[in-house]
Amino acid sequence: MSDTSRFVVSSEWLENELGSPDLRIVDASFYLPAHNRDADTEYAAGHIPGAVRFDHDKVADHSTGLPHMVPSPDVFADAVGKLGISENDVIVIYDGPGIFSSPRGWWLFRIMGAKQVFILDGGLDGWKAEGRALETEIPSPVASNFDAELRLDKVIDYHQMMSIVSDRTSQIADARPAGRFTGTEPEPRAGMRSGHMPGAVNAPSSSFSTNGKLKTIPELRQAIEAAGIDLGRPVVTSCGSGITAAIITLALESLGHEDNALYDGSWTEWGGRSDTPIETGPAKPTPAISSQA
């Protein structure tokens, strides 16, 4: 059995598959201001041949005031259909550094019904470092039909999150760096309180990859267990704004854990409100509250 996640593909594999009729390549790069990188500019300057650009902030629910929230199935289907993608295609998603925003794209396509979705290990930076081909021509794909059906059980909203924090029906895994989780470092978004949801454990997104490549299955298991996550119980993943939470989701799914969901509003919603309970300092996870008590 391979030690590599079944959800990642190598640059060698992708290069050999370029031009395959059912292959669709998606640049789902997204950056924070601290990265000092612009995804659209980088895409125009050179992308993997045939790759189309997927913008997390454009293909989103814009009614909430929160960034890149999961769009309706109709909005998603219209956007990716225009990119020439159907739910039956082999879809390879990449970002710049490797394992940053591509897992969010992978997660979103999967919960919308795509059947074969993969992540490019090493990302565009790795592809470039290996001297592989790039193109600047913007593809003009033939529109396709994407039959989208949202897996609502995979997306957690604020009201569900309040219940989970109260009832401890799921573990909460927070992908933010330790300083933001404990409240010793400020949030990058202005006006946001620091700390974490009561009962949450810290599983920093950076602990699941090395040099833009997803860690091996044994290493992923070690990182999950080191964070205090029990693979025998449900997990809700969270982060700053719903992007890097999907890295924990990717690790869980790679380990065969399917009873997981992602809190879409994440800390932007939770920490931006004044009526949500917050803890600071190290994690103080508590066991599930038994319904038999």
Side-chain angles (χ1 to χ4, degrees):
M1 181 178 293
S2 172
D3 277 349
T4 304
S5 168
R6 65 188 186 276
F7 297 117
V8 299
V9 297
S10 68
S11 53
E12 292 86 356
W13 180 91
L14 181 58
E15 186 175 56
N16 289 333
E17 291 295 314
L18 291 178
S20 296
D22 62 344
L23 176 68
R24 301 292 180 268
I25 306 173
V26 179
D27 182 323
S29 299
F30 166 89
Y31 298 110
L32 298 169
H35 287 124
N36 198 30
R37 296 176 67 165
D38 183 274
D40 289 336
T41 300
E42 290 189 15
Y43 174 77
H47 48 267
I48 295 175
V52 294
R53 176 85 180 103
F54 180 88
D55 189 322
H56 293 274
D57 283 320
K58 290 181 180 177
V59 188
D61 178 1
H62 297 133
S63 69
T64 68
L66 296 167
H68 37 256
M69 296 289 282
V70 172
S72 70
D74 287 346
V75 167
F76 182 86
D78 179 67
V80 300
K82 289 176 180 175
L83 294 176
I85 303 171
S86 86
E87 76 278 6
N88 295 312
D89 289 326
V90 176
I91 304 166
V92 176
I93 299 180
Y94 73 84
D95 61 30
I99 306 293
F100 182 67
S101 59
S102 53
R104 169 73 183 200
W106 165 86
W107 173 78
L108 184 58
F109 272 82
R110 291 182 82 222
I111 67 168
M112 288 292 182
K115 299 172 178 62
Q116 301 181 80
V117 193
F118 305 93
I119 292 168
L120 175 62
D121 225 11
L124 185 63
D125 292 352
W127 182 275
K128 289 178 177 179
E130 293 164 358
R132 302 185 191 277
L134 296 172
E135 69 175 15
T136 56
E137 180 182 353
I138 306 301
S140 300
V142 176
S144 184
N145 179 64
F146 191 106
D147 185 10
E149 187 171 341
L150 175 59
R151 287 278 307 273
L152 288 172
D153 61 311
K154 291 293 187 180
V155 187
I156 299 296
D157 65 19
Y158 163 74
H159 298 289
Q160 292 170 306
M161 200 70 233
M162 283 291 284
S163 295
I164 290 167
V165 168
S166 174
D167 300 338
R168 307 297 159 96
T169 49
S170 292
Q171 300 166 97
I172 306 166
D174 190 324
R176 292 175 301 148
R180 290 168 60 189
F181 178 88
T182 59
T184 58
E185 295 179 6
E187 286 296 306
R189 291 175 176 84
M192 200 129 326
R193 295 183 293 162
S194 297
H196 58 267
M197 287 170 266
V201 298
N202 191 205
S205 58
S206 60
S207 64
F208 299 103
S209 65
T210 303
N211 296 325
K213 294 189 175 184
L214 192 68
K215 289 185 175 180
T216 65
I217 294 298
E219 289 170 332
L220 292 177
R221 186 178 302 276
Q222 184 179 30
I224 287 289
E225 292 175 349
I229 300 169
D230 180 354
L231 288 168
R233 292 179 53 210
V235 179
V236 172
T237 63
S238 181
C239 61
S241 65
I243 295 286
T244 59
I247 298 174
I248 307 178
T249 306
L250 172 61
L252 291 170
E253 293 278 343
S254 297
L255 294 171
H257 183 287
E258 298 180 351
D259 191 3
N260 60 75
L262 187 150
Y263 173 30
D264 201 25
S266 282
W267 199 255
T268 300
E269 181 172 50
W270 194 271
R273 298 178 64 113
S274 60
D275 57 350
T276 47
I278 286 178
E279 291 180 347
T280 56
K284 297 185 284 290
T286 55
I289 297 174
S290 172
S291 60
Q292 307 299 317

